[in-house]
Amino acid sequence: MAKPRQEYQRTLRLDTENAQSVVHVISTKLRVNLNRAAPPRSKFFSVKCSSNVRYNISPSPLETAPLALISLNGDPVLLITMEEASVFENDSKLSVQYYAEKKEVLGRAVLHLTAIELSLDVDADRDGKVEKNNPNKGSWKWGPKGHGAILLTNCDAERKYGKKPDIEHDFVNKISDLKDMSLMVLRTKGPAKLPEGYKLTMHISQGDAWSVRVFRSKSSEASYHTFRSLFGFFEKRYPLVLSSEELSKEVPYLGGTASMDFFVEGLRFPDKDFDGLITINLSVLEPVASGFPETPIFTDRVVFKMAPWIMTPNTQKPIEVFVCSTKDNYQFLKGIRNLVQKCELKLKVCYEYMNRGDRWMQDELEFGYIDSPHHGFPVVLDSPRDGRLKDFPYEELLGPDFGYVTRMAHDDMVSSLDSFGNLEVSPPVTVDGTNYPLGRILIGVAFPTTPQGRNMTQVVQDFLWAQKVQNPVALYSDWLLVGHIDEFMSFVPAPDRKGFRLLLASPDAGYKLFRGLHNGGHGEAKMFDGLDEKYHITVDELLKDENLENQNNYVQNCIDWNRDVLKRELGLEDDDIIDLPILFTEERGRAVAFYPDLVNMIVLGKNLGIPKPFGPKVNGRCALETEMCSLMEGLGLTCNFIDDFASYHKLLGEVHCGSNVRREPFDFKWWNLEM
């Protein structure tokens, strides 16, 4: 059951010289210290009021009849309430009369009262509807029994031509722009107008000013679907109320029983310097005297939480696959097309006029989404790497209901670890009783003992941590030449256990397979058969290379360190992990895959797009492919091998590096997290 808000009491001073016109907000109390306004020599007082005015006196007097004389001893307080909104201004009255010792009248204070109902309302119970005066609207609480309204960052672009993210326009672009905002309703009931000098004002703090804008509908019955025929008039129909340039603004009091719609626009995601909480206030202002500013007598407030950016793991259903077309990747593109067609998915090809020869689709961007009870849409996170593919996320993806966000770093701070092959997310997990129903973000950094190593730039790390709902885990990837965690790990769906398996590159598993081939009489089988002879190496030659083995012992140690972190941080057991036979070699002091890296795959439901490894053939079939099929088919997964050797592997990347997948959002709603 919702906890009721604390009772609002307003201190009111009586004036025995002049009658007062007072606005009273229903559900609040006017609190009058009777001694404070009493004329000198006053010993008693009496109270008289209209029939729709209620009052009580504390401490409670012995005599309570109307006009009964009550002692001023004990510092009595008068509490005044009204239960019904006024029909006319100043239509109710309360008077307090003061008496001396011998009952002669010393003074009389008169209040002309106007009662109004007033509430600033939001969807505080997160059901997609704006309820009236929810008692929890002014605070935020996580969880299925939590409360608090939700706000989206309006980072899509309703205009297709000359487009910018909507947050860069301080006006409503189109009627469809309203659904990206959160509805806020001002409900009032009272006389046709307020007493002279009284007014309503909406206001935000300086701290929130860069995070939110508020627009008003000029119709008292505006909604998301009103004014569809008024294209071109949105700026007039939805004037800007609050922004970084206008922290406070008067809003109309409509009179009678009325409501006014406001549309709240989020301007930024949670980040290191912003917890995502925003407060919007509505105050009733009372005139004091000519030449002096009005003073607030009542404030209603609502709180919004900015929706976080959420990543989707390999276990979420794929929607659309993205890949680049370059002058030398025809064979790779053909394999991707065939796989996508087999999965009956959309394929988006970025051609050379846009990619300018940059083929690393995974490294340039990461797909995610934002969500609220009333609306949600995909949002692409653009990496700070800014290769020649840098225009693609903005120019080709940003649009109606497709958002864009980026975090920029100084050029000298960007490293290969800022590419988003180094940014992944786990499927949902439970760790020591703590649920992560949206999974956990995984990033690669330098080993703790190598402070001079490469790291993901801090502005991106800060952004990821600030989203809170996918609590990040740092892995060690600086040992790799490219430095991306997708070079040694991936996740695939599974029908049992936790619903997935973690795949890890394993030199130990690789050497076990090659030794098995040697023992089985296949020592002369060649690696890279079918490719240029300069790449050929037999199984026996590979096993005799002590330097290669030493390199892979080091790599296995690095992967084992990550294995332990992943087991601990994701709550995994050894049976949740599958080791893939992958060897590495040394280049420029760091590790690269010796043959196409099997773990660096694209996951499309039960179909896996795996780099064709060109392993030694046994009975006419690649032994590495045979092993992969054996490991994956037991999970109900189909292996589809894609030749990426010339166009990706030789350039230090693989299938996953050269592709990207947009996936369906989680069914689980982020605001139901227990935090």
Side-chain angles (χ1 to χ4, degrees), residues 446-455 478 590:
F447 200 70
T449 58
T450 54
Q452 301 306 314
R454 299 167 299 169
N455 278 293
D478 190 35
R590 288 184 166 94

Side-chain angles (χ1 to χ4, degrees), residues 424-439:
E424 301 297 326
V425 64
S426 80
V429 292
T430 299
V431 186
D432 295 332
T434 300
N435 292 322
Y436 297 94
L438 302 175

Side-chain angles (χ1 to χ4, degrees), residues 494-501 571-577 635:
D496 57 359
R497 297 186 65 81
K498 294 177 173 64
F500 68 90
R501 293 290 191 277
L572 304 181
E573 300 173 6
D574 285 327
D575 287 345
D576 297 313
I577 302 172
L635 300 175

Side-chain angles (χ1 to χ4, degrees), residues 361-578:
M361 182 62 78
Q362 181 66 222
D363 290 341
E364 184 59 40
L365 58 94
E366 190 68 54
F367 288 109
Y369 69 95
I370 56 177
D371 196 18
S372 73
H374 74 273
H375 189 48
F377 52 82
V379 176
V380 61
L381 175 63
D382 191 359
S383 80
R385 76 184 277 267
D386 278 351
R388 286 167 292 173
L389 193 57
K390 65 180 181 179
D391 293 335
F392 176 77
Y394 192 95
E395 296 296 336
E396 298 295 319
L397 298 178
L398 173 64
D401 279 345
F402 208 123
Y404 172 92
V405 63
T406 190
R407 286 295 178 270
M408 303 302 296
H410 298 298
D411 289 342
D412 58 352
M413 298 175 64
V414 176
S415 74
S416 176
L417 272 68
D418 290 307
S419 298
F420 284 166
N422 197 36
L423 172 61
E424 301 297 326
V425 64
S426 80
V429 292
T430 299
V431 186
D432 295 332
T434 300
N435 292 322
Y436 297 94
L438 302 175
R440 299 189 69 179
I441 284 174
L442 307 170
I443 61 173
V445 297
F447 200 70
T449 58
T450 54
Q452 301 306 314
R454 299 167 299 169
N455 278 293
M456 180 178 286
T457 190
Q458 196 61 46
V459 292
V460 175
Q461 291 197 54
D462 290 343
F463 174 83
L464 296 171
W465 276 99
Q467 307 315 303
K468 290 189 179 295
V469 296
Q470 295 177 302
N471 196 24
V473 176
L475 301 174
Y476 170 40
S477 65
D478 190 35
W479 54 275
L480 289 154
L481 178 61
V482 176
H484 298 173
I485 60 175
D486 68 353
E487 299 176 74
F488 67 84
M489 61 163 292
S490 186
F491 297 95
V492 293
D496 57 359
R497 297 186 65 81
K498 294 177 173 64
F500 68 90
R501 293 290 191 277
L502 167 63
L503 308 183
L504 285 179
S506 172
D508 283 354
Y511 273 100
K512 182 178 180 180
L513 183 145
F514 290 117
R515 289 180 182 123
L517 293 176
H518 168 81
N519 294 338
H522 302 287
E524 294 303 312
K526 296 177 181 178
M527 286 290 302
F528 308 114
D529 191 15
L531 299 174
D532 193 306
E533 287 189 6
K534 67 181 180 180
Y535 299 112
H536 291 183
I537 180 173
T538 67
V539 170
D540 286 347
E541 288 171 338
L542 183 152
L543 292 174
K544 289 177 182 177
D545 189 335
E546 291 185 4
N547 186 48
L548 181 66
E549 185 172 7
N550 288 336
Q551 291 167 6
N552 277 279
N553 287 335
Y554 165 72
V555 167
Q556 187 65 62
N557 283 346
C558 294
I559 294 174
D560 284 345
W561 190 88
N562 287 302
R563 181 191 188 99
D564 292 339
V565 172
L566 288 162
K567 287 174 66 177
R568 181 173 65 251
E569 298 296 337
L570 300 183
L572 304 181
E573 300 173 6
D574 285 327
D575 287 345
D576 297 313
I577 302 172
I578 296 176

